[in-house]
Structures are given as C-alpha cells and as structure tokens.
Amino acid sequence: MNSETTTLISLKETMKRVDHKLQALEARFKELDFTKDNLAQKFEHHSKTLANQVAQEELWTAVLSLKFTPMELNILYSYVIEVLIRLHTRVLEELPDLVRGLPTLTSILRRKVKNKRIRVVWESVLEEYGLQEGDITALCTFFVAHGNKAEHYIAKVRKMYIRDVNFMITNMVKNQALQDGLLKAVQVIEKGKALRAPEEQKSSLTELMPTVKS
C-alpha cells in the first residue's frame, strides 16, 4: 500500500469522524431548539396566566372600591342581574333538553368548559347580544360582590332616579373592563344588544338627575 492510498484512507476516516460529529451537533441543536420552543411556550403560558391573575385582582379591587350610593348600586345591579338572567334563559331556549341540568348561569359557565355543545350555544348567545367573555367576567364579579345587599329596580323606577346611567358609569367606574361590562349591560337591556364599544358620554353632570316637574 503506497503512501497516497494510506493518506486517502486516513482522509476518509477523518471525514467520517467529522461527519459523525456534525450529525451529533445537528441532533444536539435540534434538541436545544425543541427545548427553547418548549420553554418559550411555557413562559408565554405563564405570562398569560400571570396577566389574567393581575387583571382579575384589578377587577375585584375596582368592584369593591366603587363609590356609588345604595340607590345607584341598586340601579347597576338591576341591569346586571337582568342581563345574566337573559343569557341563562336564552341558552336554555337553545338547549331545552338540558334545562334540568343547567339550573343556573353558573352551571352553564362551569359545564361549557368540557361540553362542546353547551360552549357553542353559549358563544352564539354572547355574539347575539354583542357581549364577550370579559364582559361576563366583569358582570359576574359585580354580582358576587354586591348581589347579597342590592335590590332590583324595574325600568320605570330606574328612570325616576337616574336620567343618564351611561354617564354615571363612565364617570364613576375607572376600571376599563368593569366599565365596558356595565355599559354593555345597559345597552343589552335598553336596546336589545351591545352594538358597539360604548362611546364617551358627553352629558353634563346636571343631566344625571331627571327634571322635577312642579
């Protein structure tokens, strides 16, 4: 075997070793890339969870810090409870065979997570009324916080006390999620649907109370 043949064999063996190392490095890089993507997904999930927790805490703080008078609180509660009842009733109309299994709105919210049929109907009903999940979270939080001490006022009584409830909400409720939810609740009850994002109210403070006729 001459020197050229020996050199060629040695070069081939070296190239094989290099090729094996490159393959090993490629496999390692793929593993690292997968690990990076997995960590990125976990971080994104953790960030969303943390953001949701922060938003929930801010919402609860806003609900518990409301400075409304008992009368004003009753008026807001009236809109909230009427919307929640309307949503519950509407879902049952679409799922008559599940009436006994869905006695409350809470049962719908709980069961829709794992029951696709309930979830589809729920989402359809929300769209029908121009509402989103965030609005329901805000309204349910308000109901849980104040439902035990608030009273329901019928529409006629509400109008006697507050002339422009939208203006009252936009000026007194600073948390955006809660403000949007309450404004949409008013739209659903008074107009049948929350048609668009509530606009900033331009009424004057004097318009909050109805004119007293002598």
Side-chain angles (χ1 to χ4, degrees), residues 16-192:
K16 285 182 180 180
R17 289 196 298 269
V18 171
D19 187 54
H20 288 159
K21 288 183 178 180
L22 288 174
Q23 290 179 4
L25 284 172
E26 183 179 3
R28 180 57 177 165
F29 276 122
K30 287 182 179 179
E31 181 182 347
L32 290 173
D33 193 50
F34 174 79
T35 302
K36 180 201 69 176
D37 291 341
N38 191 34
L39 287 173
Q41 291 177 0
K42 288 183 177 180
F43 179 76
E44 182 179 2
H45 175 73
H46 178 72
S47 297
K48 289 182 178 179
T49 301
L50 185 60
N52 288 336
Q53 291 176 348
V54 171
Q56 278 288 340
E57 290 178 1
E58 291 178 348
L59 178 60
W60 270 102
T61 299
V63 169
L64 296 175
S65 301
L66 292 174
K67 303 299 182 182
F68 291 113
T69 65
M71 179 267 292
E72 292 169 338
L73 201 63
N74 288 339
I75 290 175
L76 292 180
Y77 167 79
S78 300
Y79 282 108
V80 170
I81 191 63
E82 287 183 18
V83 168
L84 297 182
I85 291 174
R86 185 171 296 192
L87 292 173
H88 180 226
T89 302
R90 189 69 188 86
V91 169
L92 295 185
E93 289 175 352
E94 295 296 319
L95 300 170
D97 56 314
L98 297 180
V99 170
R100 297 185 65 180
L102 300 172
T104 64
L105 183 65
T106 301
S107 62
I108 293 175
L109 297 177
R110 183 175 61 251
R111 292 188 58 186
K112 75 180 178 64
V113 177
K114 295 183 179 181
N115 189 307
K116 182 178 179 180
R117 184 180 172 213
I118 296 175
R119 183 168 63 253
V120 169
V121 170
W122 170 253
E123 292 173 352
S124 176
V125 169
L126 287 187
E127 184 177 358
E128 178 182 330
Y129 286 112
L131 298 170
Q132 298 179 349
E133 288 288 354
D135 302 319
I136 306 307
T137 299
L139 298 180
C140 287
T141 302
F142 180 94
F143 175 79
V144 171
H146 300 292
N148 64 326
K149 58 180 180 290
E151 298 180 26
H152 177 263
Y153 289 171
I154 62 175
K156 184 177 180 179
V157 175
R158 294 196 292 260
K159 292 299 182 182
M160 289 173 56
Y161 289 115
I162 296 294
R163 187 175 188 179
D164 191 344
V165 67
N166 293 309
F167 180 69
M168 183 183 77
I169 292 171
T170 54
N171 279 272
M172 297 290 287
V173 181
K174 302 308 177 184
N175 179 274
Q176 194 62 54
L178 180 59
Q179 183 185 112
D180 289 347
L182 292 173
L183 289 173
K184 287 182 179 180
V186 173
Q187 285 190 335
V188 169
I189 298 305
E190 295 190 348
K191 300 180 180 180

